[in-house]
Amino acid sequence: MPVKNRFAELQDEITTWRRDLHENPEILFDTHRTSALVAERLEAFGCDEVVTGIGRTGVVGVIKGKSNGSGKVIGLRADMDALPINEQTGVEYASKTPNAMHACGHDGHTAMLLGAAKYLSETRNFDGTVVVIFQPAEEGGGGGKEMCDDGLMERWGIQEVYGMHNWPGMPVGSFAIRPGAFFAATDQFDIQFEGRGGHAAKPHETVDTTVMSAQAVLALQTIASRNADPVDQVVVSVTSFETSSKAFNVIPQRVQLKGTVRTMSKEMREIAETRIKEICEGIATTFGGTVNVRYIRGYPVMVNSDEQTEFAADVARKVSGNCDDAALVMGGEDFAFMLEERPGAYILVGNGDSASVHHPEYNFNDEAIPAGCSWWAEIVENRMPAA
């Protein structure tokens, strides 16, 4: 694989960083140790500016090229947070923190971007400015939005932004990407049906919330089958069904449903929210009960810009010789907030035959480090070639 020789030399050092992060995972915005280590290393590399506390615990480093005739500023982003999972890998550097684990490879993302930052600080072989972005709380906390709300793009004049994620099942160090909608919007719903509870032997004296809720679980599936264009993507999943009574002979006063909605367009997102409310209200009225529907919007659809995606794929081909067309992903990714602010692209790098992300046996493959670091560096040197 034609990766940069410097990253082959640095691989052992970067692996040591990665495994230290893996051993000491931190959740959401509580990335205090991780953020401090990142800032310390950026300072040691000789970054022109290192700023902490962006988006609560985010870290930003600025690296200026040998020249700045282009006036270009490119952002490179990695996520730092772990997941609330008890690790089952059995590796010697396994998590020392109960119910916390780097089960999505953010330790690898952070280590690879640190490796790229070290190289770029050493060589400065580009015409412009690089802003390396280390983000907390990707796993459900919206750390990307917090950093943007703190003025990330405006403060450093970022014009384009690029992100990367490891991907189990792809050959180690290979790449895949797609233009346009890539990762889904991730919303939640919380539905509470209210009826009239009573004895299960006298259903005629009750307003049965279990019947209402069961009807709703089935009817919500018609959003995908009857409200969505067959070529559009939407997932509506009820994942929790909880009654106010656990007795075998009581019809409960209330039932609460919870679940998630995944969509690939703003239009489908609007339709799904509207139909969930209409369906549940109609069922409640039909059976003589009431309902309260809370629809909570999460991450938006992550949309890769066409030009930047083509460029990112070209760079990946230079590194690995090939870049595949990625499939749509119905999972969410809060890099979407950064791509709403600036054009850019998000790419997948192969993690080999490993457990899937968010699994207690998952582990980032350190053999992917040279390819990932090389892609970051080539993005900079190809987008802002030295004058």
Side-chain angles (χ1 to χ4, degrees), residues 28 53 114 157 202 210 233 244 257 264 267 334 380:
L28 292 172
L114 280 172
K202 299 180 178 181
T210 58
Q233 287 79 23
S244 59
L257 306 179
M264 279 291 182
E267 294 76 19
D334 88 338
V380 173

Side-chain angles (χ1 to χ4, degrees), residues 65-376:
K66 290 179 178 177
S67 56
N68 191 27
S70 70
K72 290 183 179 178
V73 183
I74 288 179
L76 309 177
R77 171 271 201 178
D79 35 19
M80 300 187 292
D81 59 318
L83 282 156
I85 294 175
N86 283 310
E87 183 165 350
Q88 297 177 19
T89 61
V91 296
E92 60 182 11
Y93 51 87
S95 170
K96 296 188 297 186
T97 306
N99 199 37
M101 174 195 175
H102 271 294
C104 203
H106 296 184
D107 51 343
H109 305 162
T110 296
M112 288 191 294
L113 187 53
L114 280 172
K118 180 169 185 173
Y119 166 84
L120 292 167
S121 296
E122 291 172 349
T123 60
R124 312 259 176 174
N125 191 33
F126 56 94
D127 180 51
T129 302
V130 179
V131 180
V132 288
I133 304 161
F134 295 86
Q135 178 210 304
E138 190 283 323
E139 297 290 358
K145 184 177 189 302
E146 294 265 358
M147 293 191 82
C148 289
D149 289 347
D150 263 1
L152 170 68
M153 301 300 175
E154 296 79 11
R155 179 170 175 177
W156 285 282
I158 296 170
Q159 299 162 357
E160 298 180 0
V161 64
Y162 295 86
M164 182 195 302
H165 203 294
N166 77 93
W167 210 248
M170 285 171 48
V172 177
S174 65
F175 293 92
I177 198 170
R178 67 180 297 120
F182 192 175
F183 279 59
T186 58
D187 300 334
Q188 302 173 45
F189 56 81
D190 187 333
I191 302 165
Q192 185 164 288
F193 284 98
E194 187 86 18
R196 184 168 63 248
H199 200 291
K202 299 180 178 181
H204 58 291
E205 295 179 358
T206 72
V207 175
D208 195 335
T209 51
T210 58
V211 172
M212 284 189 274
S213 301
Q215 293 281 342
V217 171
L218 296 176
L220 290 175
Q221 301 313 307
T222 64
I223 296 171
S225 66
R226 290 298 177 265
N227 298 133
D229 187 314
V231 300
D232 204 352
Q233 287 79 23
V234 58
V235 174
V236 180
S237 292
V238 177
T239 56
S240 176
F241 191 117
E242 186 173 352
T243 65
S244 59
S245 170
K246 306 303 180 187
F248 77 93
N249 59 351
V250 173
I251 291 173
Q253 178 76 15
R254 66 188 63 85
V255 172
Q256 185 179 41
L257 306 179
K258 293 183 180 180
T260 186
V261 178
R262 306 298 171 101
T263 52
M264 279 291 182
S265 69
K266 291 181 180 179
E267 294 76 19
M268 192 64 240
R269 196 181 198 187
E270 296 287 347
I271 290 170
E273 180 175 359
T274 298
R275 289 299 293 143
I276 286 173
K277 292 175 180 176
E278 290 174 343
I279 288 168
C280 291
E281 288 167 359
I283 288 171
T285 299
T286 299
F287 287 94
T290 59
V291 67
N292 179 56
V293 179
R294 290 178 60 237
Y295 192 93
I296 306 102
R297 292 207 170 199
Y299 297 169
V301 181
M302 191 189 75
V303 181
N304 274 347
S305 308
D306 290 345
E307 179 191 345
Q308 284 73 22
T309 300
E310 184 177 352
F311 167 68
D314 286 342
V315 170
R317 283 187 280 269
K318 288 182 179 180
V319 173
S320 71
N322 187 44
C323 185
D324 291 330
D325 294 329
L328 290 170
V329 178
M330 297 310 287
E333 169 54 64
D334 88 338
F335 189 62
F337 291 112
M338 295 190 185
L339 288 177
E340 286 190 330
E341 298 253 342
R342 295 293 186 270
Y346 191 77
I347 200 166
L348 307 179
V349 61
N351 200 59
D353 185 19
S354 70
S356 64
V357 293
H358 293 223
H359 189 281
E361 295 180 3
Y362 165 87
N363 191 18
F364 178 83
N365 191 332
D366 293 316
E367 295 304 310
I369 286 172
C373 291
S374 294
W375 184 80
W376 287 125

